[in-house]
């Protein structure tokens, strides 16, 4: 089981802030493909990966990163702090 | 080094004074404060979302980089989240160093990295509706100078 978090418009598009996902995905991109195949709202949220960022266990990562040992995955748009 | 992520307002005067007091002997203190701008009167409020846990870690890592790179006596980052009205302070950074060049450079570095590497997302609530603030290419480009 992996904890998946969504922030900002990704959260709004998918309609929930977090969920536990049972997955055998090897990489972030595989997880995105699994989620996108679930329902339209996921496919819409993940339509353009260039406009998304991903963090693995609260560290910025990339879509080709492996998920082995990862407990928390977060998807969000580019950050706008400051 | 101090990092605070909070929804509560903070008082610039109080924070600056206590930072200066703790940095006594440093020689130079730079402070920067970001406020909710009114966008020509079109903005009513700003809603700031963040990623609890990652936010604190990311800011601490950025501040540690600044401490390592410049000769800083101390650094302070306060960043708020939640709903903020126009004119309210969103965040502040303060740096203390023996000389002003390091204090200014480190403050700019902190600001550049907080903009695009600290997990905050701003939503503008205005007369024309509600919209997420898009990250700017120049904010990403600003990181290259470091």
């Amino acid at each position: 089981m992996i904890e998946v978090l969504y922030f900002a418009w990704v959260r709004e598009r998918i309609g929930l802030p977090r969920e536990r996902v049972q997955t055998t995905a090897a990489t972030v991109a595989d997880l995105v493909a699994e989620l996108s195949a679930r329902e339209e709202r996921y496919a819409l949220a993940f339509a353009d990966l260039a406009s998304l960022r991903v963090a693995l266990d609260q560290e910025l990562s990339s879509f080709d990163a492996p998920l082995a040992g990862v407990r928390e995955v977060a998807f969000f748009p580019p950050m706008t702090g400051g | 080094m101090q990092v605070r992520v909070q929804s509560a307002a903070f008082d610039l005067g109080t924070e600056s004074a206590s930072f200066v007091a703790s940095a006594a002997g440093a020689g130079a203190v730079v402070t920067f404060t970001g406020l909710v701008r009114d966008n020509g009167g079109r903005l009513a409020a700003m809603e700031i979302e963040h990623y609890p846990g990652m936010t604190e870690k990311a800011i601490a890592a950025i501040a540690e980089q600044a401490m390592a790179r410049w000769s800083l006596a101390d650094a302070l980052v306060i960043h708020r989240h939640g709903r903020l009205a126009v004119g309210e302070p969103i965040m502040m950074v303060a740096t203390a160093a023996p000389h002003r060049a390091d204090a200014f450079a480190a403050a700019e570095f902190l600001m550049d990295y907080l903009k695009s590497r600290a997990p905050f997302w701003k939503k503008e609530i205005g007369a024309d509706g509600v919209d997420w603030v898009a990250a700017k290419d120049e904010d990403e480009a600003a990181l290259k100078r470091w």
Side-chain angles (χ1 to χ4, degrees):
Chain A
M1 287 290 252
I2 205 162
E3 192 80 16
V4 183
L5 285 74
Y6 310 108
F7 291 97
W9 58 255
V10 184
R11 171 180 54 73
E12 290 180 340
R13 254 173 232 188
I14 290 172
L16 71 172
R18 61 162 64 210
E19 60 184 321
R20 304 200 79 191
V21 175
Q22 184 78 55
T23 180
T24 53
T27 65
V28 176
D30 293 343
L31 175 64
V32 167
E34 271 183 22
L35 292 169
S36 297
R38 271 185 176 181
E39 280 180 60
E40 185 73 21
R41 59 196 168 111
Y42 288 94
L44 279 173
F46 291 116
D48 176 19
L49 291 189
S51 68
L52 287 181
R53 300 290 178 268
V54 60
L56 301 182
D57 290 330
Q58 307 190 350
E59 296 275 352
L60 272 182
S61 188
S62 59
F63 286 91
D64 56 9
L67 283 180
V70 171
R71 293 160 59 184
E72 187 173 294
V73 179
F75 295 104
F76 43 79
M79 296 159 270
T80 52
Chain B
M1 192 181 97
Q2 306 163 64
V3 171
R4 277 156 48 198
V5 178
Q6 61 188 53
S7 60
F10 59 87
D11 183 79
L12 291 176
T14 308
E15 298 298 342
S16 299
S18 74
F19 186 78
V20 165
S22 75
V29 167
V30 164
T31 68
F32 170 84
T33 311
L35 310 173
V36 180
R37 69 173 70 84
D38 70 356
N39 276 356
R42 296 198 314 278
L43 197 72
M46 178 89 86
E47 186 93 35
I48 302 176
E49 183 170 334
H50 77 121
Y51 183 170
M54 179 173 169
T55 312
E56 292 80 357
K57 277 199 253 178
I59 299 176
I62 293 165
E64 273 159 23
Q65 275 188 63
M67 296 291 292
R69 183 156 170 181
W70 288 278
S71 159
L72 297 185
D74 201 3
L76 164 72
V77 178
I78 303 174
H79 204 304
R80 296 176 67 195
H81 55 86
R83 193 184 179 99
L84 310 184
V86 166
E88 278 193 69
I90 301 173
M91 51 89 62
M92 78 175 279
V93 303
T95 53
H99 300 283
R100 72 171 188 270
D102 278 2
F104 272 118
E108 286 221 82
F109 171 90
L110 286 171
M111 284 312 306
D112 282 350
Y113 271 83
L114 288 168
K115 273 249 169 252
S116 38
R117 291 292 183 274
F120 290 99
W121 299 275
K122 294 192 183 114
K123 188 186 226 180
E124 291 179 343
I125 297 150
D128 312 329
V130 171
D131 215 357
W132 291 100
V133 175
K136 296 190 189 77
D137 290 342
E138 59 257 42
D139 290 339
E140 190 62 34
L143 301 185
K144 295 204 169 70
R145 65 177 166 143
W146 306 109

